[in-house]
């Protein structure tokens, strides 16, 4: 009589994969918790301090209203970067004057 342990070894072979996935989930939750605490610290700043780093109170409160499984610091980074972008270059329009000369008109 032969006894096969193949199903048992198959389950054991999957165990490291599940352990790795569990470790990734725990690491993600810890990261979310740390980033949420950082956002709460930003909410404790006064408006002048927030303005110094390029944020408003509404930005921080909006980020803290996100569900727990969403990182609140990512929208704050995007909002700050959007405000710090240089303005687009002024568009110049060439207009023909009545006497045939062309004149630049900035918009």
């Amino acid at each position: 009589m032969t006894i096969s342990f193949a199903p048992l070894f198959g389950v054991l072979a999957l165990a490291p994969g599940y352990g790795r996935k569990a470790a990734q989930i725990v690491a993600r939750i810890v990261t979310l918790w740390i980033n949420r605490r950082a956002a709460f610290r930003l909410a404790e700043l006064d408006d002048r301090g927030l303005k110094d780093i390029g944020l408003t109170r509404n930005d921080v409160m909006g980020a803290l209203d996100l569900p727990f499984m969403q990182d609140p610091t990512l929208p704050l980074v995007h909002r700050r970067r959007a405000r710090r972008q240089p303005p687009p270059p002024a568009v110049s329009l060439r207009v023909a004057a009545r006497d045939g000369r062309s004149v630049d008109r900035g918009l």
Side-chain angles (χ1 to χ4, degrees), residues 41-56:
R41 284 192 207 124
L42 284 175
E44 293 172 356
L45 292 175
D46 60 348
D47 290 334
R48 185 174 175 181
L50 289 172
K51 185 178 178 183
D52 284 345
I53 59 174
L55 295 172
T56 64

Side-chain angles (χ1 to χ4, degrees), residues 80-101:
R80 181 177 179 267
R81 283 185 183 159
R83 286 197 184 106
R84 297 196 71 149
Q85 292 291 325
V91 177
S92 165
L93 179 64
R94 286 205 160 297
V95 178
R98 290 185 187 186
D99 60 359
R101 298 181 296 133

